[in-house]
Amino acid sequence: MLINLSEVFTLEGKEKTWEVPFEQKEYRGGDGVYPVVSSEPVRITVKNLGNRKLSLTGSAAVTLEIPCARCLEPVQYPCSLEFDQELDMNVSDEDRVKDLDEQSYLCGYHLDADMLVCNELSLNLPMRVLCREDCKGICSRCGTNLNYKTCDCDRTSLDPRMAAIQDIFKQFKEV
């Protein structure tokens, strides 16, 4: 959802609050695409600080469906976001790129609320999500979810550096 910020520039100290829906159906992160299960409206407050600088504050709540890092079962992960930033409208888009200021949600006088929330999600999502703390994961041989049932696979893990010696022992065993 695009928000036009030009009406805030009319007077120093002017403040405006928007409540817009989060319209993304999926979140595209660095490690995958996760469906958005539910979301609350994004609340954004912009205040004119003078000299073409703006204060941007707001909040959002999004629930994503992320696979468990151990067993790959889908987990509904709620994420509450709070943001507080200062925008300098004197800086051009090219200068922002040069300074590595990642404000891709700002284009001219328009602010993309969905892109702002996605950027905040990138910063706030954990490295891995578990369905529960004691998740047993899946069997590396047959793929059985060990949270629900056990399998009869040989789980002895050998050091891969000893593979050559293990082959020698297998040759003597067959004789």
Side-chain angles (χ1 to χ4, degrees), residues 65-103:
E65 189 172 271
I66 302 175
C68 174
R70 292 183 188 158
C71 69
L72 302 177
E73 289 290 320
V75 177
Q76 290 194 3
Y77 184 79
C79 195
S80 295
L81 306 169
E82 298 284 330
F83 37 91
D84 185 5
Q85 302 174 9
E86 188 172 304
L87 305 175
D88 188 355
M89 302 305 282
N90 293 318
V91 179
S92 67
D93 291 338
E94 294 82 26
D95 290 338
R96 282 192 184 104
V97 170
K98 258 195 278 188
D99 294 338
L100 299 176
D101 189 9
E102 302 280 333
Q103 292 180 345

Side-chain angles (χ1 to χ4, degrees), residues 34-40 61-65 75-79 121:
Y34 308 124
V36 175
V37 177
S38 66
S39 64
E40 293 179 8
V62 178
T63 302
L64 300 175
E65 189 172 271
V75 177
Q76 290 194 3
Y77 184 79
C79 195
L121 276 171

Side-chain angles (χ1 to χ4, degrees), residues 105-119:
Y105 52 85
L106 193 60
C107 183
Y109 291 115
H110 295 284
L111 180 129
D112 188 347
D114 291 342
M115 185 66 73
L116 173 65
V117 171
C118 286
N119 286 355

Side-chain angles (χ1 to χ4, degrees), residues 117-136:
V117 171
C118 286
N119 286 355
E120 291 296 320
L121 276 171
S122 297
L123 296 172
N124 289 299
L125 283 179
M127 294 294 283
R128 59 187 203 154
V129 174
L130 298 177
C131 59
R132 59 182 194 235
E133 279 300 314
D134 63 339
C135 178
K136 296 176 185 174

